[in-house]
Amino acid sequence: MSGWHSQHYLEAGRKAGIDEELLHRVIATAEHTLSRPQPGPPILTLGHLAHLSGVEMGRLHAYVSRAGEDPYREFTIRKRPIPGEKPRFRFIAVPEPQLLRVQSWIASEILNRAPCHPASKAFAPGSRLVAAARPHCQAQWMIKFDVQDFFESITEIDAFRVFRDRGYQALVSFELARLCTRLRDKHRDPASYLPSRRRSRYRGPDIEALYPRKHMGVLPQGAPTSPMLSNLAVSDLDANLNLIAEKFGLRFSRYADDLTFSTTNKSFGRSNSIRLVGEVYQEIVARGLSPNRSKTSIIAPGARKVVLGLLVDGQRPRLTREFRSRLRMHLYYITHDEHGPSRHAKVRGFTSVEGLRQHLLGLIAFAGQIDSVYADRCRAEMYKADWSATTT
C-alpha cells in the first residue's frame, strides 16, 4: 500500500496544531492497518472515508444509520434454465449511485486486495470459473454441494469481522460493514433484530450511542462489495473443508455457493462419500450456513462428471453438448429472417431484447474460457442479427 507516510502525516499534523499524543495514536492506528497482508488504505473516521471515496459525509452517515428510504433498487434476472423445471429467477438489489460509488471504492481499494483461501475460485481479481473445474478433471468419484441463500446468509457481523481482520478499528469496521449490507427486507421483520448477547460483543457502547438502530443487515446480491466479502467471510469454512478433503484424500474447490470434492481413486466408495457428506454438512451448519440438501449429489465412476457446467471427464474441462446445442439454438433463431432477436426474446421469456443480448454475451464469454475459437465464431454469428430493437 503506497501513499501513506507516517512522518509526512506527523509533520502536517504538527503544523496544524494537532495534539502530539493524538497524532501518535492515529499513526499507530494506520500502521496497524498497513501491517496486514496486502493491506487496504488506512481509514481513520467516516469523514476520512468520505474524503477518500468522494462521497459526502452526511450521505455516508445516513447509509450507516439506515435512515430514510431503502437505497437499493430491486429487479430479477432469469437463472440458467433446468430442463423440465419452471423458469427460475435471481433477485438483484442494485445500490443507488452514491452508495454504489463508495461500495466500488471499498471493493477495489480494500476487498480486492485481500488474500482469499486457495480453494476459493470465484470473485477474486483474475479468478476464472474454469479454475474451479480444472482440479476435478479425470475424477472417478465426485461429491457436490450447494449452499442455500449464500449471499443473504452472510451477515453484517460477518462483514464487520472481515474489516476487523483487515486491520480497521471497531467503529470504522462497523461503518464499513453497514455500507456493504442491507436489511433483510424493507418491513424490518423481527428476524432482522440482533440478539442482545451477540449485539453487545459486536457493537459495543460507543457504537450503540452513535448508531442505536439494531436491525441486522446481510449482503445484497448486486452490490460490488458482496462477492469478495462473501469470499473473505467464509475463509475459515474454506480452510476447514480443505482439511476434511485432505483427510479423505480428496481435491476441493469452492465457487461461490458451489462446493466440489473429487478423487481419481476408483475405490473411494459410496460409504466414504456418505461419511464426507455428513462431515461437510456439519461444517457448513457450524458456520451458520445451510446446505441445499436437494442439490447434494454423489457421482460414482462411470457417471458423467460436470462441474459448474463443464465436463471434466478428460484431461481438461470441456463445454457440454447441451451448452453448445442451447447456444446454437439461440443463434439460429436470432439470425433467422422469420424470427430475429425481438420475437425470440419474447418466446423465450426475456423481458427485453437487451436482456437476451446480455444473456448471449454471457454464454459466449463462458465458452471463451474453454474454447476461444468457438466463442469468436459464435460472437461473429450473433452480430449478424438485427439488434436495433431494444425492447420486446
Side-chain angles (χ1 to χ4, degrees), residues 232-263:
L232 298 170
V234 299
S235 59
D236 55 341
L237 175 64
D238 288 334
N240 291 341
L241 292 178
N242 199 58
L243 288 174
I244 292 174
E246 290 177 355
K247 183 177 77 172
F248 281 87
L250 302 174
R251 298 167 295 190
F252 162 63
S253 68
R254 180 180 63 81
Y255 193 89
D257 54 359
D258 289 299
L259 316 176
T260 306
F261 296 78
S262 72
T263 177

Side-chain angles (χ1 to χ4, degrees), residues 45-342:
T45 63
L46 193 64
H48 189 196
L49 176 61
H51 170 74
L52 293 171
S53 65
V55 179
E56 190 261 333
M57 164 73 174
R59 183 67 65 90
L60 294 184
H61 189 271
Y63 292 144
V64 176
S65 302
R66 307 222 194 272
E69 295 294 318
D70 183 9
Y72 289 86
R73 176 176 59 88
E74 290 184 328
F75 65 95
T76 59
I77 59 173
R78 189 171 180 170
K79 291 185 178 181
R80 184 183 301 175
I82 296 177
E85 292 190 8
K86 294 181 179 180
R88 303 174 304 145
F89 296 91
R90 192 184 309 278
F91 292 89
I92 305 296
V94 177
E96 65 184 29
Q98 290 302 300
L99 181 55
L100 176 63
R101 181 172 182 174
V102 68
Q103 287 178 346
S104 297
W105 186 91
I106 293 168
S108 64
E109 299 301 318
I110 300 175
L111 300 173
N112 290 349
R113 300 174 184 270
C116 298
H117 191 278
S120 175
K121 304 297 184 182
F123 307 135
S127 62
R128 302 174 72 215
L129 183 144
V130 67
R134 190 177 293 119
H136 306 289
C137 284
Q138 298 182 299
Q140 292 293 327
W141 285 90
M142 180 178 292
I143 304 93
K144 296 162 64 174
F145 303 82
D146 180 89
V147 178
Q148 195 161 323
D149 299 326
F150 181 56
F151 277 12
E152 288 204 350
S153 297
I154 307 297
T155 69
E156 191 177 300
I157 295 178
D158 298 317
F160 171 82
R161 288 171 177 160
V162 167
F163 291 115
R164 288 290 278 158
D165 286 345
R166 299 308 299 149
Y168 295 103
Q169 296 301 297
L171 177 57
V172 169
S173 295
F174 174 86
E175 291 166 333
L176 288 168
R178 276 289 181 91
L179 289 169
C180 298
T181 55
R182 181 193 189 208
L183 294 182
R184 292 180 188 273
D185 62 57
K186 60 186 178 182
H187 301 295
R188 278 106 166 137
D189 65 64
S192 68
Y193 282 99
L194 201 60
S196 59
R197 182 175 57 83
R198 295 183 70 194
R199 183 172 68 243
S200 63
R201 288 200 299 246
Y202 162 48
R203 296 168 60 99
D206 294 339
I207 297 175
E208 289 276 4
L210 283 170
Y211 302 107
R213 298 174 72 97
K214 302 176 180 65
H215 299 78
M216 173 57 62
V218 296
L219 296 190
Q221 192 159 352
T225 44
S226 293
M228 274 299 288
L229 265 176
S230 69
N231 264 358
L232 298 170
V234 299
S235 59
D236 55 341
L237 175 64
D238 288 334
N240 291 341
L241 292 178
N242 199 58
L243 288 174
I244 292 174
E246 290 177 355
K247 183 177 77 172
F248 281 87
L250 302 174
R251 298 167 295 190
F252 162 63
S253 68
R254 180 180 63 81
Y255 193 89
D257 54 359
D258 289 299
L259 316 176
T260 306
F261 296 78
S262 72
T263 177
T264 57
N265 178 7
K266 198 169 184 177
S267 63
F268 181 73
R270 187 164 296 274
S271 60
N272 278 329
S273 299
I274 293 170
R275 282 177 49 226
L276 173 78
V277 169
E279 292 198 24
V280 170
Y281 277 179
Q282 187 175 1
E283 203 61 54
I284 291 173
V285 171
R287 177 55 190 74
L289 303 173
S290 299
N292 189 338
R293 296 172 188 269
S294 66
K295 291 189 177 181
T296 300
S297 56
I298 298 173
I299 307 162
R304 195 162 174 259
K305 307 294 192 302
V306 178
V307 176
L308 300 167
L310 297 174
L311 277 171
V312 292
D313 53 359
Q315 293 185 348
R316 60 179 62 87
R318 297 182 293 123
L319 298 170
T320 64
R321 183 181 301 173
E322 293 85 354
F323 176 88
R324 291 176 183 268
S325 296
R326 184 167 71 252
L327 187 50
R328 185 168 59 247
M329 175 272 295
H330 284 305
L331 295 175
Y332 170 80
Y333 282 109
I334 66 171
T335 56
H336 196 285
D337 291 340
E338 296 182 7
H339 296 273
S342 182

Side-chain angles (χ1 to χ4, degrees), residues 330 333-357 360 385-392:
H330 284 305
Y333 282 109
I334 66 171
T335 56
H336 196 285
D337 291 340
E338 296 182 7
H339 296 273
S342 182
R343 182 175 179 183
H344 184 58
K346 186 174 182 179
V347 169
R348 300 298 297 183
F350 289 90
T351 57
S352 68
V353 172
E354 179 60 19
L356 170 63
R357 192 176 78 88
L360 293 183
D386 179 12
W387 294 98
S388 57
T390 57
T391 59
T392 57

